[in-house]
Amino acid sequence: MSDERESMSPAKLGLGILWPAFWTGLPIKLAFVLLFLALGMVHFETRIGLAFLMLLTSPVTVFALPTITLGLESHLGEGVGIALLFLLAIPIDIWALGVAGRTFFLERLRREPPEGLGLTLWWKCALVGGIFLPILWVAVSATTEAAISVVHSMFETDLLKGVPVAEKISIELTLWGAVALGMLLLLLGVGLSLVGLMIRGTVESARHTTETYQGLITRWDLMRVPADQGLMLTALTGGAVVLSLLFWFSLPVFTPHPHDCCKKPEVKAVPMVKPLETLNKNEKMITQLTAQVELLEKQQAEAELGKEKSKGKAGKDAVKAPAAIAPVPPAAMKP
Amino acid sequence: MRHIPSPSAPTTILEKVIDFVDERVGLKLLVAKMLNEPVPGGSRWAYVFGSVLLFIFIMQAITGVLLMFYYVPTADHAYASTQYILHDVDYGWFLLSYHFWGSTAMVVCVFAHISQVFLWGAYKKPRELVWLVGLALFGIVMGFGFTGYLLPWDQRAYWATTVGVEILDKTPLLGDFMARFLKGGATPGQMTLSRFFVIHVMVLPAALMGLAGLHLFLFRSAGPAGPFRGTPEELKAKTDYFFPRQIWKDIVGMAVVFACICALAFWEPVVLLEEATPDPGDYHPEPEWYFLFLFQLLRLKMFSGELGQLLGAMVLPGAFMALLAALPFIDRDPERNIFKRPIALIGWVVVMAAILIFTISAIINREFLD
């Protein structure tokens, strides 16, 4: 048993820490993913499952995702939420790796976990992931594409041209899927071994523990029990309530994807009636109009006065030129 | 003489109420028995599926009741009332989408639970009855999915039911009767909707509650199986009670599933197709996603013709379910470690791979239909 612990393969070592760390951090990250989705800060456009998985496996994808997104032009999604999630995932992963790592050191390796184990494990995993995952991405994508084209060309040959559609689809899928999955598993094994090799140094520098197995189990079990359980419970409940309220407030009341049959007519907003303003405005208008009417009356009176004066003058000149006393056209009377 | 209260005398109203109930039904003993159940080898994430399934069922019941406040189970109004829920009821779209994705989560978790029990060898003696009742519960969950799918009364619902009933029709002896009983006529109509609705909201919930209670009782009687490997020293050191660690893990499991269902309701909210008509038009009929593998299997040439369809639709799935039911009585080897049971391991991998391949094939096959 002791030999088995000492000669543990790097892949087993990597998997032994990454697997429980992934599950430990997942519920917290998931809560944030949900909240950001509700707030419309994250939009996964293609390969939803893959993008989602990469977010949740952030101990190894935290540096790899920007490389894959920018360097290899693989568009996984949009929104500030993605970057924010990765930032939030860093402390969560450090904590999760710390919890999982300490348990693994005590129970499986029977060694004393060193100080700052979470941070040490996190940067090592992130470094390996940052370098290795883009390579894995390119290799698996290339293998899958090559396998698909080879399998397609196989079914183009005369021998297999007559295979019915349903059978063809299933056989093709099985063949290229097996090749792609094989490649993925192989490279994942290599990646886990690399993580294990990086961690091995930390493992070897940790001193052996002399406690009994029962004692070790009790220790790692108690490590997971918070010192102040009341505080922990209150904090968790508070966090859950805040997240639930945020989620509820950001939730659209009606469906964001209305059916053609039930689209609601666009309602134009009717301006609000403000009685005082309307009264003041009307009063102002009446005053203006009254002033205009008065002005017009004054102008008319002046015009009539002018006419009468000119009539008197014309009476004197009538003997000289009777045609000059022509009637004023009616249009001239208009204001 | 002054009465001196004993140290255990109840002081608060809550304690008095608890004591009152305890005196009559033995509440404290019941709770102690429930919570202090020893879990051999300690709590594990792999054991959360049963509790998660119970949680999903409760949530389905709550959302289902809320949907029933608005849903009208008649052929004339089912579609309109579902559209009303989606477009006019406050948060109705989210409730319906949660209910829809909840049913999917239930099927996924049932598969996960059955797989865990199978891989852990937890169906073996003395847990045969737990396994058998579990298989019956699996059938009920599938029944929930099948009957619930028709209720929105759109083209997808109508044709999925038509395909499902046609598959059922191929059962020897009983097939014709069952198909006519479910449809209530030559084509799906008001009678079909009424029957599916009653089965969905009354018969199946009652059956599920009864069987789930029996499942739990049998499970508690036989006790948890525990891990399939580990030395007696390790098992003894890790053995713990159900409360608080396993309960904590169960709660986290429920929260994760709840978050996943909510996220899916956001990503892919329910959008209905056109109202159901006996003419499929451009729509290519197909069943729900968890029956797609069977649907694709029936497209294979070897399953064409009357006999082939009978083989693919009934004999093969029937034989598989019969094999699962007989498993604890066939596999009498007490060895539970899956890595020492190669036939079981290979069998599980083959079945899962086949389901996956045929489901994806059915999705790819859609391109050839358009």
Side-chain angles (χ1 to χ4, degrees):
Chain A
M1 199 69 173
S2 174
D3 289 344
E4 194 189 312
R5 276 195 295 275
E6 294 305 318
S7 61
M8 189 180 279
S9 70
K12 218 172 173 180
L13 193 63
L15 185 68
I17 287 178
L18 280 178
W19 181 251
F22 164 70
W23 289 108
T24 308
L26 181 126
I28 305 168
K29 289 183 219 170
L30 208 56
F32 283 110
V33 169
L34 186 61
L35 186 65
F36 290 163
L37 268 171
L39 291 168
M41 291 164 70
V42 181
H43 300 282
F44 295 123
E45 284 171 7
T46 50
R47 307 183 193 188
I48 290 172
L50 203 56
F52 197 56
L53 197 68
M54 290 191 83
L55 276 172
L56 299 175
T57 53
S58 49
V60 283
T61 55
V62 68
F63 295 137
L65 193 82
T67 318
I68 291 167
T69 312
L70 300 172
L72 303 174
E73 291 175 359
S74 288
H75 198 233
L76 297 173
E78 277 179 0
V80 283
I82 293 181
L84 200 57
L85 268 174
F86 269 85
L87 282 176
L88 279 169
I90 293 173
I92 296 169
D93 287 330
I94 292 173
W95 166 78
L97 281 165
V99 172
R102 282 197 294 274
T103 309
F104 192 80
F105 269 59
L106 281 174
E107 196 213 336
R108 302 283 296 277
L109 304 171
R110 310 266 170 106
R111 286 174 187 262
E112 286 295 336
E115 284 294 312
L117 183 64
L119 185 64
T120 312
L121 291 176
W122 178 82
W123 79 255
K124 287 182 175 180
C125 291
L127 185 69
V128 173
I131 298 164
F132 186 73
L133 271 187
I135 298 169
L136 180 143
W137 185 275
V138 171
V140 172
S141 301
T143 310
T144 308
E145 275 169 33
I148 289 173
S149 83
V150 168
V151 170
H152 269 313
S153 59
M154 265 169 60
F155 276 86
E156 292 298 312
T157 56
D158 292 337
L159 189 70
L160 296 170
K161 225 169 188 176
V163 177
V165 174
E167 278 83 351
K168 188 183 152 193
I169 292 170
S170 297
I171 297 168
E172 276 189 7
L173 181 68
T174 311
L175 291 176
W176 70 255
V179 174
L181 186 70
M183 187 64 171
L184 180 68
L185 288 177
L186 179 76
L187 289 179
L188 277 178
V190 174
L192 286 172
S193 300
L194 287 174
V195 170
L197 284 172
M198 285 287 281
I199 293 171
R200 180 156 276 176
T202 316
V203 172
E204 280 167 0
S205 64
R207 64 184 170 80
H208 286 277
T209 178
T210 50
E211 246 175 299
T212 60
Y213 186 72
Q214 177 72 63
L216 289 176
I217 295 297
T218 311
R219 249 178 84 192
W220 71 247
D221 196 28
L222 287 175
M223 268 179 351
R224 290 161 179 250
V225 181
D228 189 340
Q229 291 186 34
L231 181 71
M232 175 77 175
L233 203 63
T234 314
L236 272 178
T237 313
V241 168
V242 170
L243 283 176
S244 306
L245 285 175
L246 279 172
F247 175 73
W248 192 255
F249 284 124
S250 53
L251 192 69
V253 178
F254 301 110
T255 179
H257 303 284
H259 192 268
D260 286 340
C261 75
C262 310
K263 274 184 184 155
K264 286 180 182 153
E266 273 187 40
V267 182
K268 280 184 185 168
V270 180
M272 257 175 55
V273 179
K274 292 175 182 171
L276 266 178
E277 271 183 27
T278 315
L279 274 174
N280 287 339
K281 209 173 160 187
N282 288 349
E283 212 167 281
K284 227 180 208 176
M285 198 183 276
I286 289 167
T287 319
Q288 273 178 355
L289 289 172
T290 314
Q292 269 184 4
V293 170
E294 277 172 6
L295 188 73
L296 285 172
E297 279 175 352
K298 206 175 166 185
Q299 279 176 350
Q300 203 175 351
E302 279 172 6
E304 274 174 13
L305 196 70
K307 258 191 269 168
E308 274 171 20
K309 274 181 186 171
S310 61
K311 244 186 202 175
K313 221 179 175 183
K316 282 176 195 170
D317 299 336
V319 187
K320 287 178 192 171
I325 321 164
V328 179
M333 295 296 285
K334 283 184 184 171
Chain B
M1 199 177 113
R2 271 180 68 191
H3 174 71
I4 302 163
S6 64
S8 60
T11 50
T12 63
I13 294 173
L14 183 68
E15 281 176 349
K16 281 177 186 165
V17 171
I18 290 170
D19 274 16
F20 175 84
V21 180
D22 180 47
E23 215 177 327
R24 279 144 189 88
V25 297
L27 183 73
K28 284 179 181 169
L29 186 69
L30 193 73
V31 171
K33 269 191 175 176
M34 299 258 283
L35 299 183
N36 297 340
E37 172 86 13
V39 181
S43 60
R44 276 170 188 248
W45 291 107
Y47 303 157
V48 303
F49 295 114
S51 307
V52 166
L53 273 168
L54 196 62
F55 166 75
I56 299 175
F57 173 66
I58 292 168
M59 288 303 289
Q60 289 299 91
I62 293 169
T63 49
V65 167
L66 292 173
L67 291 172
M68 270 199 289
F69 288 159
Y70 299 96
Y71 177 74
V72 184
T74 64
D76 292 344
H77 295 97
Y79 182 76
S81 60
T82 313
Q83 290 286 30
Y84 180 75
I85 291 170
L86 285 173
H87 294 87
D88 295 292
V89 176
D90 283 6
Y91 304 107
W93 71 275
F94 187 72
L95 275 180
L96 186 59
S97 303
Y98 186 97
H99 195 76
F100 173 79
W101 284 110
S103 70
T104 290
M106 209 157 176
V107 173
V108 171
C109 284
V110 162
F111 267 96
H113 191 43
I114 292 180
S115 294
Q116 185 264 320
V117 172
F118 177 79
L119 294 173
W120 260 244
Y123 57 84
K124 295 187 177 192
K125 193 181 172 184
R127 297 178 188 82
E128 299 96 326
L129 287 175
V130 188
W131 173 255
L132 286 176
V133 175
L135 286 181
L137 283 167
F138 168 69
I140 287 176
V141 168
M142 289 307 203
F144 262 118
F146 182 59
T147 51
Y149 214 68
L150 178 71
L151 304 185
W153 204 246
D154 66 343
Q155 284 288 71
R156 192 188 293 122
Y158 184 92
W159 288 101
T161 305
T162 306
V163 170
V165 174
E166 269 174 24
I167 291 176
L168 204 68
D169 197 11
K170 298 191 194 311
T171 315
L173 303 172
L174 283 173
D176 180 53
F177 167 73
M178 287 196 314
R180 276 193 294 124
F181 171 74
L182 282 175
K183 277 200 286 190
T187 53
Q190 177 57 58
M191 294 301 280
T192 326
L193 188 61
S194 297
R195 288 170 191 202
F196 272 55
F197 181 71
V198 170
I199 293 170
H200 189 74
V201 303
M202 293 187 78
V203 179
L204 291 177
L208 191 132
M209 280 190 274
L211 281 176
L214 181 64
H215 191 63
L216 274 173
F217 169 74
L218 291 170
F219 170 70
R220 282 298 167 109
S221 303
F228 54 72
R229 63 178 169 193
T231 61
E233 183 212 8
E234 284 174 352
L235 288 182
K236 197 184 161 198
K238 288 184 185 171
T239 295
D240 196 6
Y241 293 113
F242 186 62
F243 179 81
R245 285 166 185 79
Q246 189 58 51
I247 284 197
W248 168 248
K249 285 192 168 81
D250 287 356
I251 290 171
V252 173
M254 290 171 200
V256 166
V257 168
F258 177 74
C260 284
I261 297 173
C262 287
L264 285 166
F266 256 104
W267 261 325
E268 290 289 330
V270 170
V271 177
L272 298 187
L273 299 182
E274 296 309 310
E275 191 169 3
T277 58
D279 172 24
D282 293 335
Y283 180 69
H284 299 293
E286 61 176 29
E288 306 97 294
W289 70 266
Y290 36 86
F291 288 128
L292 274 182
F293 74 95
L294 194 59
F295 190 59
Q296 184 67 13
L297 198 76
L298 293 175
R299 281 183 175 141
L300 300 182
K301 204 167 185 182
M302 64 185 289
F303 294 118
S304 59
E306 277 287 306
L307 188 68
Q309 292 278 297
L310 176 71
L311 267 175
M314 279 298 141
V315 177
L316 207 62
F320 180 69
M321 287 310 290
L323 178 70
L324 281 185
L327 196 64
F329 309 102
I330 299 168
D331 181 10
R332 289 175 173 275
D333 184 357
E335 178 59 70
R336 286 180 44 228
N337 188 342
I338 188 64
F339 299 108
K340 290 179 182 170
R341 295 190 288 137
I343 297 173
L345 182 62
I346 293 167
W348 182 81
V349 170
V350 167
V351 168
M352 287 297 144
I355 290 175
L356 192 70
I357 287 167
F358 282 114
T359 304
I360 299 173
S361 297
I363 295 164
I364 298 172
N365 211 133
R366 285 174 190 160
E367 290 168 25
F368 292 85
L369 300 172
D370 292 330

